[in-house]
Amino acid sequence: MTPGSNLPLPIARVAVDVTAPVRLDVSGLLLTAQGKVRSDDDFVFYNQPTGPGVSHSASAPGGGDTITIDTTALPADIDKVVVTASLDTPGATFAGTEPTATVRGADDGSVIATFTPPRLGPETALVVVEVYRRGGAWKVRAVGQGYANGLAGIATDFGVTVEEPAAPAAPQPAAPTGPAVPLP
């Protein structure tokens, strides 16, 4: 596939494997017609591996993660599942890294499509592919849209609440420990 191209899905259950020469964090976001998640429960990733009709599974070291989508089990108000990838190493970019998405039948492993986004650079996260409903039929589209602000940038764009780490508390002056002594 090339960026922007799409194909009809011939089956209801598909798996999207995302692989790269480096470790990636792969996730799936379930989106409504407004392009937003209904709640944070619609963000499926390694720490929240299941959602309605969508699951995440990690592979063995050196392999990629998989987002499995059962279009018949998706809620009626979900029109799209976006599959994303972000780099596991803080500060790393996709420059010189070519992730590949392989869309295959979840039950028989047959390959439906592959997509490798071209010419990546300063991006730290990427919308790789999307599985979407159009006219009652499900399709897959090659996206390849990069984000320079990581997975948090993708998540917030699609309506996920991202908790920022708490700022360290300002140091407080030490309280006196003994009786006050008048100064001469």
Side-chain angles (χ1 to χ4, degrees), residues 70-82:
D70 183 346
T71 59
T72 63
L74 289 171
D77 58 342
I78 295 299
D79 287 338
K80 184 185 300 184
V81 177
V82 174

Side-chain angles (χ1 to χ4, degrees), residues 21-22 87 91-99 118-126 147:
V22 297
L87 294 153
T93 69
F94 275 103
T97 299
E98 293 186 340
R119 299 175 306 278
L120 296 173
E123 300 88 356
T124 57
L126 184 66
Y147 284 71

Side-chain angles (χ1 to χ4, degrees), residues 30-146:
L30 290 77
L31 306 177
T32 64
Q34 291 74 38
K36 301 288 184 187
V37 296
R38 298 168 303 174
S39 74
D40 291 354
D41 293 337
D42 288 342
F43 182 35
V44 178
F45 63 111
Y46 62 91
N47 275 342
Q48 184 168 287
T50 60
V54 178
S55 64
H56 171 276
S57 56
S59 70
D65 290 357
T66 300
I67 298 294
T68 301
I69 304 162
D70 183 346
T71 59
T72 63
L74 289 171
D77 58 342
I78 295 299
D79 287 338
K80 184 185 300 184
V81 177
V82 174
V83 178
T84 69
S86 58
L87 294 153
D88 193 40
T89 305
T93 69
F94 275 103
T97 299
E98 293 186 340
T100 296
T102 302
V103 181
R104 58 182 175 78
D107 298 321
D108 66 5
S110 61
V111 174
I112 297 166
T114 60
F115 172 60
T116 301
R119 299 175 306 278
L120 296 173
E123 300 88 356
T124 57
L126 184 66
V127 173
V128 185
V129 297
E130 58 189 22
V131 171
Y132 67 100
R133 183 181 2 228
R134 178 71 43 94
W138 287 92
K139 297 182 172 193
V140 61
R141 178 183 354 254
V143 180
Q145 176 184 351

